[in-house]
Amino acid sequence: MAEQRGQAADDPVMTRIGQIAMLQHAGDREEAQQRFAALWEEIGPHADPLHRCTLAHYMADTQQDPAEELRWDLLALEAADGLTDGSAAPAHTAPAVRGFYPALHLNLAADYARLGRPDTARDHLREARAHVDALADDGHGHQVLGGIERLERELAAADGPAQGTPGAVGRPRAEGEAGAG
C-alpha cells in the first residue's frame, strides 16, 4: 500500500483521484461524484486499468442508488482483472492488485445483499475470502476482513425465520480502499 502511495505522487491521475476522494471523505459526496464523473470521461474507457479500477471504486462509494453502486463496483472489478492479465499493466503493478480483490468482492457482496440477491452476495463473499491472504496485517486489511465477517453474519441472520428481507442487510463496504491505500 505504501508503494501505491509513492506511485500516486508520481501519477497525476492517481493524485487527482486522491484529491477528489478527500472531498468525498469530507462529506461533499455530490461534488466528488461530479468530479469523478468528469475525470472518468476525461480518461476514457481505454485508460490505465489501475486508474479505471481506482476511479470506479471511489465512484461507487458516491452513489445513492444501489444499482448504480453495483455498476461502478463491477467496472472496478473488470479493470482490476485487466491489471492482472500482465499485458495491460506495468510489471510492478499487477502483483499488488491481488490485494484489491478482497475489498472489491466485499463491495460487490454488499451491493448484491442490498439489492436482495443474497446468493450472489455469498458468491462474492467466498471470492473475498479466497483472497484474504493478500491483505496486509494493517488497518485496511483489518477493515476488509471485519467487513467480510460482518456481512457473513448479517446474511446468516437474514436466513433465519424471516428468510431475509431484501435490502435489510447493511453496507459493510471497504470504502475508499481498493486503489488508494
Side-chain angles (χ1 to χ4, degrees), residues 39-63:
L39 184 54
W40 184 263
E41 288 299 316
E42 182 182 322
I43 67 172
H46 303 293
D48 180 317
L50 179 62
H51 295 161
R52 288 185 293 116
C53 177
T54 306
L55 184 52
H57 172 74
Y58 280 113
M59 186 63 151
D61 290 343
T62 68
Q63 302 303 308

Side-chain angles (χ1 to χ4, degrees), residues 110-176:
D111 295 341
Y112 283 115
R114 289 180 59 218
L115 290 167
R117 296 175 58 189
D119 291 339
T120 307
R122 285 184 192 88
D123 291 343
H124 282 283
L125 282 174
R126 279 191 287 281
E127 286 295 320
R129 278 258 180 226
H131 293 91
V132 295
D133 63 319
L135 292 171
D137 186 16
D138 61 8
H140 167 66
H142 297 175
Q143 177 187 13
V144 172
L145 191 54
I148 292 168
E149 292 167 353
R150 245 183 340 274
L151 187 54
E152 286 171 339
R153 284 191 305 271
E154 289 175 11
L155 288 170
D159 285 341
Q163 288 301 311
T165 305
V169 177
R171 292 182 63 179
R173 290 185 56 85
E175 294 187 38

Side-chain angles (χ1 to χ4, degrees), residues 6 28 32 69 116 177:
D28 198 345
E69 189 170 359
E177 295 292 339

